[in-house]
Amino acid sequence: MKKSIPTPLRRLRREGLAFLAGSILGLPACVPGIAVAAPSTGASAAPSQEFPMKIRLQVDGQPVTATLDDNASARDFAALLPLSLTLTDYARIERIAYLPRKLTPAGATAGMPVKAGDIAYYAPWGNLAIFVESGDANYSGGLVRLGRVETGLPALQRPGPLKVRIERLPD
């Protein structure tokens, strides 16, 4: 479901920024041709594609498709794409790789059941985890579900290390 700001509110927000910037800089509120950019927060911009988002993982040349959930951590992960990683075996049921930076841990759980195909972020270590087998009822605290593998799970079930390229699929 697409969430968008109604046009009048977008215009109000845009014009409000122009008024605020004009006030600070001593400019009239409505100066044609002057565009005022919102200040940068230093955080990566949210991707423009809607969620849930389809992604492709190329695992040693074999395609795997997955869908990312609509949550803050998944959106933060999507902002890193495209991404090349090496997945290694961990605890027999998952393949892990460290990400270039930590993701927002919003939504981290005290423990969550994991199923084969779940894609998660382990906040305490800052790593991506793709589960290739189902785990205990409450596997581990600090996991945030990012999405789920839809097709091609056997490519990830092979022993690692596995070279993987992750990218968004076009709409």
Side-chain angles (χ1 to χ4, degrees):
M1 180 171 165
K2 185 176 182 178
K3 296 179 184 177
S4 66
I5 299 171
T7 302
L9 291 178
R10 276 185 288 188
R11 186 173 27 246
L12 180 61
R13 188 165 70 182
R14 183 178 60 242
E15 291 170 1
L17 277 174
F19 175 77
L20 178 62
S23 298
I24 293 169
L25 298 172
L27 298 172
C30 297
V31 177
I34 295 184
V36 180
S40 174
T41 62
S44 59
S48 61
Q49 188 171 359
E50 293 299 314
F51 281 80
M53 177 188 291
K54 299 288 186 183
I55 61 171
R56 175 180 35 237
L57 297 83
Q58 286 290 337
V59 182
D60 289 334
Q62 295 183 354
V64 175
T65 60
T67 302
L68 293 180
D69 293 345
D70 186 5
N71 64 49
S73 297
R75 287 188 297 275
D76 202 12
F77 176 71
L80 294 174
L81 303 180
L83 191 60
S84 293
L85 301 169
T86 300
L87 296 172
T88 57
D89 297 342
Y90 185 80
R92 194 188 91 254
I93 71 166
E94 61 187 288
R95 304 296 180 256
I96 68 167
Y98 287 92
L99 298 171
R101 65 170 172 80
K102 290 196 171 201
L103 304 178
T104 180
T109 60
M112 66 180 250
V114 293
K115 296 180 183 148
D118 282 348
I119 302 171
Y121 172 65
Y122 186 55
W125 291 356
N127 68 281
L128 177 70
I130 302 174
F131 290 87
V132 296
E133 292 181 28
S134 296
D136 299 333
N138 283 316
Y139 187 67
S140 183
L143 280 175
V144 181
R145 185 181 143 110
L146 298 178
R148 179 138 185 86
V149 171
E150 302 294 334
T151 64
L153 186 61
L156 293 161
Q157 291 172 324
R158 295 177 296 131
L162 302 170
K163 300 282 186 194
V164 64
R165 171 90 173 157
I166 307 170
E167 56 196 7
R168 298 177 199 183
L169 283 175
D171 289 334

